[in-house]
Amino acid sequence: LLFLAGVTLTIGTQRTVNFFLKRRKNFKGSAFFFGGLFLVLYGWAMVGMILESYGFVLLFSDFFPTVIMFLKRMPVVGNFMSFPGVKNIVNKIAPRDSLPI
């Protein structure tokens, strides 16, 4: 609930509704997110949180490469992301040419 309130306060009511109800792109993620929210409120907290998490990943998966590129430029986190094992994983999530800019 706090996540929904934060998104609504940040981008506004109309944009929040448009984001969660985009038919082609966000429908599956929205369904999982709101289904998980319902299950949490109903009393199935663990199953609901798992569904919400999956819905969150589906909703914001296009934004993850941008976040990773931002984290690579931070002093301590960027150094950690340069380690050989971590670098391979990070490059699979956010290849250098995957950013829209």
Side-chain angles (χ1 to χ4, degrees):
L1 289 177
L2 291 176
F3 173 74
L4 288 176
V7 169
T8 303
L9 289 173
T10 303
I11 65 174
T13 306
Q14 187 62 36
R15 286 187 178 179
T16 301
V17 170
N18 289 341
F19 175 75
F20 280 103
L21 297 180
K22 283 183 189 173
R23 194 65 144 150
R24 292 187 180 143
K25 189 160 188 167
N26 292 344
F27 183 72
K28 185 177 177 182
S30 296
F32 275 101
F33 184 79
F34 288 118
L37 181 66
F38 173 76
L39 287 176
V40 167
L41 294 175
Y42 187 70
W44 289 48
M46 287 302 293
V47 175
M49 286 189 296
I50 291 169
L51 287 179
E52 278 185 82
S53 299
Y54 182 66
F56 181 84
V57 169
L58 289 177
L59 283 170
F60 294 102
S61 61
D62 291 343
F63 189 63
F64 289 149
T66 305
V67 171
I68 289 176
M69 293 305 290
F70 173 76
L71 291 174
K72 280 183 177 181
R73 291 183 176 96
M74 292 181 68
V76 176
V77 179
N79 291 338
F80 173 74
M81 295 176 95
S82 298
F83 291 158
V86 178
K87 188 175 184 178
N88 293 338
I89 295 169
V90 168
N91 287 338
K92 286 182 183 177
I93 295 172
R96 290 186 186 267
D97 58 350
S98 69
L99 292 179
I101 299 173

